[in-house]
Amino acid sequence: MPLNKLAYARYNIIDDCLTNKRRKYPSMEDLITTCEEKLQKQFSISQLQKDIKVMKEGIMGSPAPIKFSKSHNGYYYDDPDFSIKRVPLNSDELEALHQAADLMKVFSGTRVSQYFNDAVHKIDTALKVDYGQPQKNHYPIIDIERPSAHKGFQYFEFFTEAAQNRNPVSFVHYSYDKRQFSAVILHTYMLKEFHNRWYVIGYSEKHKEVRTFGIDRIYDPLMLNRQFTEDKKFDPDYFLKDLYGVLPLKGRKKQRIDFRVNPRLSNYFIANPMHHSQRIIKYHEYGTVDFRIEVVPTLELLNDFFMHSTKLVVLNPDWIKEEIKMMNKTAANNERLFG
Amino acid sequence: MSDSSAKYLFSAPVHKTTCTYVQLLRIIMDKEHTRIDLGYQATDYYDKGGWVRMSEKTYIRVLPDDDKLTITGTENIPKGNTKYEFKTTKDWLYFSLYFPPIPFKTCKIELIEKENSDGTDFNFYDIQLRISEAIKLL
């Protein structure tokens, strides 16, 4: 039977109390108080009695030899060496742990923080030492698209810490479009990944508004001892839900966008919606499908439409149709210039 | 406000310059040194963007006393005769220059690579360091 997290936490606390050599024979009141202190929740006598019964029945893998001593008015383990923490994992649990460790390894490396990598390494080593190698699949069975040596990715942890601790940061930013540097002071609110690239979003003192910066264009960030600015206009939903990508097009609000996809690409769009708002608005006889999304248009959206433009046409709004036309024209000119 | 072990940042200080391709971005001061962060955008004026290097005689002048503090080090740009060659006219370079520490007080400084320059040297004048605008680093 699967254990719920809170019950599991209580069993561990009861086990700690029963194995505490400095304070033997904890009473029911002691057990309740300790559970309440550690879990910041209230528990009844009947709840703890039930927990003891369940532990005795062996829900943790082996029956816990819990006894009550009338002379000491408290509980104890009949076997002084017993602890639920020493109960071995069964094969299903072990396999699940190995799978989880594999999954965590995939997300470690350059992807999260050094602390996370260290923790994953410890778990992996502990599993191998205590339980040996898993019997099958000695290679990772999960692989994900990962940034290997993306420029600026070394600052990922720095910005995570800045957002968590609410420390403003100073950095130098280079704009690929304007071909210009700027010294930015940013109050980081969040980091966002899109198409395997990372961006920091926060209030920029220079621009006096919430801005997005590609982490690959950032140089030498420094943590500042300065009051953190919370922009009241900052709406996380805008960045997390409404925006397709990260770089909104100036003056363009959330809007409906309809597009038609040919039969070769439509199944891909049905299986992998480009946005959570994506709906099918019409099936055509020969497999062409019309879709609708409701998003804040971004540069990334235009690029993705352009990328699929041999199999996809935007139906409306007109301004996006025009933008894609212009991009196709530029591509044709580029072919003449560089081809 | 001043703490002898602290580092202070002046972000985008007000200044004057005739350099078109190089930007003065930040100045960081501590008791060890004065660091100046700059950014250079290569130009099609030169073949393949040309090259950059810092003169070993580059100095900062603290006004009004006229104290000259000569460059002690660089980061990401060579000092002396070695050149950093760009590959294209669209390249860019972020780099830092190090000088001896300057007193932590409101003052104006100048960054001079070459006096009476023809405009190709990295000279910046009237760089305003206002204590009220200094930000302590963590």
Side-chain angles (χ1 to χ4, degrees), chain A residues 231-273:
Chain A
D231 187 338
K232 285 181 185 140
K233 283 183 270 173
F234 174 66
D235 173 13
D237 275 356
Y238 172 84
F239 288 95
L240 296 171
K241 292 182 186 164
D242 297 340
L243 206 63
Y244 177 83
V246 280
L247 299 167
L249 298 168
K250 262 215 161 137
R252 300 292 181 187
K253 293 195 171 155
K254 186 175 170 180
Q255 54 195 276
R256 280 182 183 172
I257 297 160
D258 297 341
F259 55 98
R260 181 169 294 163
V261 180
N262 83 357
R264 293 194 88 183
L265 194 62
S266 58
N267 289 331
Y268 171 82
F269 270 81
I270 291 167
N272 307 284

Side-chain angles (χ1 to χ4, degrees), chain A residues 16 21 38 75 83 99 106 120-121 136 149 151 167 174 192 200 222 231 238 247 269 271 276 288 295 311 321-322:
Chain A
D16 286 343
K21 304 274 185 235
K38 295 208 169 169
Y75 294 88
S83 166
Q99 282 173 3
V106 166
V120 170
H121 183 67
K136 34 188 178 175
K151 198 169 157 293
N167 290 129
Y174 179 77
K192 185 175 174 175
V200 283
L222 304 165
D231 187 338
Y238 172 84
L247 299 167
F269 270 81
H276 64 83
T288 299
V295 296
K311 300 177 190 115
K321 285 162 72 174
E322 285 306 310

